[in-house]
Every structure is written in C-alpha cells, then in structure tokens.
Amino acid sequence: MTATTGTGTTVGSRSTAVPERGPVPVLWLALLATPIAAGANAPVLILPDMAASLGVTTAGAAWLLTGFGWAIAVGTPLLAGLLRRRGLAAVLRLATVLVLAGTLLVAASPWLPLTLAGRCAQAAGGAGLVAAAISLAGTARRMGVVSAGFGMLGAAGPLLGRALADGASWRIALTVQAVSLLAVPAVLRRAGAGTPPAPGRFDGRGAALLTALATALVLLPTAPLAALAAALVAAALLTLHVRRRPDGFVPAELLRRPVFVVSSLLALALSASYFTLLFAVPRLLADRAGWDTAAAGTGQLVALLAGSALSWPLAAASARMSRTAVRTVLVTTGALAALAGILGTSGALLLAATAAGVFTAGAANAILSTHAVADAPGEAQRPSAIGLFTLCYQLGGAFGPAVAALLVLG
C-alpha cells in the first residue's frame, strides 16, 4: 500500500525523502497559464483576414475559435486526469509537446482543417498548463492574480493580433501562446514532481464519454437538434458509467457536492456571456455606433483592462465575504452586462457591458474555482475538481464565439 506525508513519499516499506519546497511564485504561474488568453483572443479583429487567406467565409473561419474553445474544454479534464494519475511533470511535458506541435501547424498550414487541428493542439496543451497552474495556485488571492492576468492578456489579444497581422501575418498572431513555455522549466524546478500520482487504473471509458458530452454541448449553437440528441445520449451513458464506477474519471462523490456543482454551472454561464460579448461587441460597435475597427479595438482594450483589474480586488476580498454575497455580486453584474450587450446602442454602453463581462468572468474563475476545489472530497480528488470546473468555464469559451457567429458575425 502507498501512503504519503508532507515531507516524503512511502512506497511499500521504503521511504524517499522529498525536500520541502515553498509555493511556486505566482508570476511564474501567471506566465505559465495566461498567454493562452492572448492566443485565444488574437483572432477577434482579424477573423476576416483569416477567412480570406484560407478561402472560407467568416463563419467558416469562426470554427477556429469554436475548435479552440472545444479543445480547451475537453483537454482540461483529460490533462487534469493525467495530473492525478501521472503527476505534474508528465502534464507539463505533454502540454509542451502539444503547444509546440500546434504552433508549427498553425504557422505553416494553408488549409482550414489542418489549421484547425493545430489550433486544437495549441488549446489542449494550453489547457494542461492552466490545470497545472490552478493546482499550484492554492488560494483565491493567488488565483486572482492568474485570473486577472488572463483578463489583461485576453484584453490585449485582439489589438496584438491586429498589430501582428498588419506587421507580419495573421499566422504569427496565432503563435503568441508559445510564450507560456518559457515558464515550464522554472515551474518544474520549483514545484518538483508535484502531488504523487494516484493509484488505480485510468478510466478511459469515462474520459471518452465526458469528451463526447462536451463535444455535443459545444455544437449546440450551430446544430441544435443533432447536438441536443447527442448530448442527451452521452449524458445518459455517462450517468450509467458513473454509477458503475463511482471513483472513475468523473467521481460520483464530487457530483454530489452542491458547492462544486453550483460553482461550476455559474462559472459556465458567466464565461459564456463574456465570450459572446468579446466577439460580438466589435461588430456591434460598428453596426450600432458607427465605430471603425481601430476605435473598436482600442475601446475594447480599455474596457477589458479595466474589468480585469477590478476582478482581482473582488477575488482578494472574497475570503472575507460569504459565498452567497459573492454569488450575488457575480450574478447581478453578469446579468447587467448581458442586458447592456443586448439593448445597448451607444459605444459607451457596449464597452461597459464588455468591462462588466470580463469582470464577472475573471472573478468567477478566481473565486469559484477555489470554492469548487475546496469542496472536493479529499486531496486525491482535487485534480478532478480542477478539471471538471475548468471544463465548465471553458465550455463558455466555446459557446461564446459560436453564439456570436450565429447572432452577429454572419
């Protein structure tokens, strides 16, 4: 039998001492996790350029956004499962390979399907880096720094993508995520192997069913009837599987935790609202307020930076607030953001909606993730809680571009 302590790992009757390590500095975690936000948002202002270069419509090119969100969504629980079974080092190495391979494909591919494969590889690798960063963050305050970094780099992503596309190529704009790999050696050195791998066999069937369910959910905005049918079938099969194997890839005990379930679903809703606004507001600023691309990009940058900066104080203060109070702030602000995006006709109101959207999404990611992970039944379930929570949050990142493309991008 294997047991672990705070200072060493016991394997059978043999004990191997592990030196005490402090927490990984949060700036390394931010560098590890946040460049994916810039990579995800870089296409916002250059989607027509990408479409023209690849010989497809703007709606067709939007699949690069939806696919990216899908790969993050399904990649996060898969790589969090790897984190649970094989440890931190294995996740960071696989994530590095995926990011590098995806970046090379995006830089060289002349065809949409191959470019889409590259974007999915980038996203899946980035999901592993994010899962690793969340597992090492530990507190809402530290997670707030990471989440605020997400928002700020996400805010810079559209204008950075536009600048790189104008100065070089839109393909270069989609490679900025690779900067995150600079943090991998430092995190490995400071964190070591991380949590010892959990015993037991990997639940491949549970992972496959969860992936099928997430894929069907991502397709809901574009193929509602077929996706709904597939989602219902996948959900039914996954439910049966969880009953047969309650300690598998989707732990039954975790799903029975109200705090975990409520936190995850609320994060999904706020994330979907934010990402819809992110991709829709530039077009709405042009159509409703007559702004040009440069003005829309600059205005959106300011709004996103302001909203991201405001999310960190809420994350830092959340430890002194009740969970009900935190949820009330998030739900109220998120509802007002969505309403302003739907009804707003002035540029100022649309940008206020963007700022409120990123504020709620960033704060939800920082605060609700710590709630969800803290509610996990034991240390061994923390990676599963991280993976499933982040799956819900990133599903919003997949829904948002698809909903925006359906409603306003055309």
Side-chain angles (χ1 to χ4, degrees):
M1 184 174 70
T2 301
T4 61
T5 69
T7 58
T9 301
T10 301
V11 183
S13 59
R14 183 181 60 187
S15 177
T16 303
V18 178
E20 291 284 354
R21 298 175 185 267
V24 177
V26 72
L27 293 181
W28 281 120
L29 299 183
L31 180 59
L32 184 72
T34 58
I36 193 173
N41 294 351
V44 169
L45 299 178
I46 59 174
L47 200 58
D49 300 348
M50 295 163 58
S53 175
L54 293 169
V56 298
T57 65
T58 301
W63 278 103
L64 293 173
L65 313 179
T66 301
F68 194 90
W70 168 83
I72 295 177
V74 301
T76 300
L78 292 175
L79 283 149
L82 182 66
L83 179 65
R84 180 185 176 193
R85 295 295 178 187
R86 295 289 183 266
L88 180 69
V91 169
L92 291 177
R93 288 170 184 145
L94 176 59
T96 298
V97 170
L98 287 170
V99 171
L100 285 175
T103 299
L104 290 174
L105 275 178
V106 167
S109 168
W111 305 295
L112 177 63
L114 201 55
T115 306
L116 179 59
R119 287 291 280 169
C120 289
Q122 285 181 311
L129 300 180
V130 171
I134 293 174
S135 73
L136 295 169
T139 66
R141 182 182 292 271
R142 280 164 57 86
M143 189 59 204
V145 174
V146 175
S147 189
F150 266 109
M152 290 179 180
L153 284 184
L159 282 185
L160 177 62
R162 179 77 270 172
L164 290 174
D166 290 342
S169 165
W170 63 264
R171 296 180 185 278
I172 300 299
L174 301 189
T175 65
V176 295
Q177 179 192 341
V179 172
S180 61
L181 300 182
L182 296 175
V184 171
V187 172
L188 273 174
R189 184 170 61 252
R190 292 171 181 268
T195 302
R201 182 171 53 88
F202 179 72
D203 180 14
R205 181 175 297 177
L209 289 172
L210 182 64
T211 300
L213 176 59
T215 303
L217 291 175
V218 168
L219 294 174
L220 273 174
T222 52
L225 293 179
L228 179 60
L232 290 174
V233 171
L237 293 174
L238 182 60
T239 301
L240 292 173
H241 178 74
V242 169
R243 288 177 179 173
R244 285 195 300 265
R245 188 167 177 186
D247 60 342
F249 191 80
V250 181
E253 192 174 355
L254 192 60
L255 298 181
R256 289 194 287 264
R257 299 282 177 139
V259 172
F260 172 81
V261 173
V262 171
S263 297
S264 299
L265 294 179
L266 181 55
L268 188 157
L270 294 172
S271 173
S273 176
Y274 160 58
F275 280 102
T276 300
L277 288 168
L278 177 69
F279 286 92
V281 163
R283 174 64 66 85
L284 295 177
L285 286 170
D287 294 346
R288 298 179 184 176
W291 290 27
D292 61 23
T293 300
T298 303
Q300 191 175 46
L301 172 63
V302 173
L304 291 171
L305 288 174
S308 299
L310 290 172
S311 70
W312 185 82
L314 179 60
S318 65
R320 301 187 299 273
M321 300 169 64
S322 69
R323 288 176 176 175
T324 300
V326 170
R327 291 172 186 167
T328 299
V329 171
L330 294 175
V331 170
T332 302
T333 309
L336 291 174
L339 192 62
I342 293 169
L343 301 178
T345 56
S346 71
L349 191 56
L350 290 169
L351 292 179
T354 302
V358 72
F359 166 78
T360 55
N365 190 31
I367 300 167
L368 299 181
S369 65
T370 59
H371 291 179
V373 173
D375 201 45
E379 187 69 22
Q381 298 294 354
R382 282 174 54 88
S384 296
I386 291 168
L388 295 176
F389 173 87
T390 310
L391 166 64
C392 290
Y393 183 84
Q394 295 298 347
L395 276 175
F399 287 151
V403 172
L406 188 66
L407 297 180
V408 300
L409 295 181

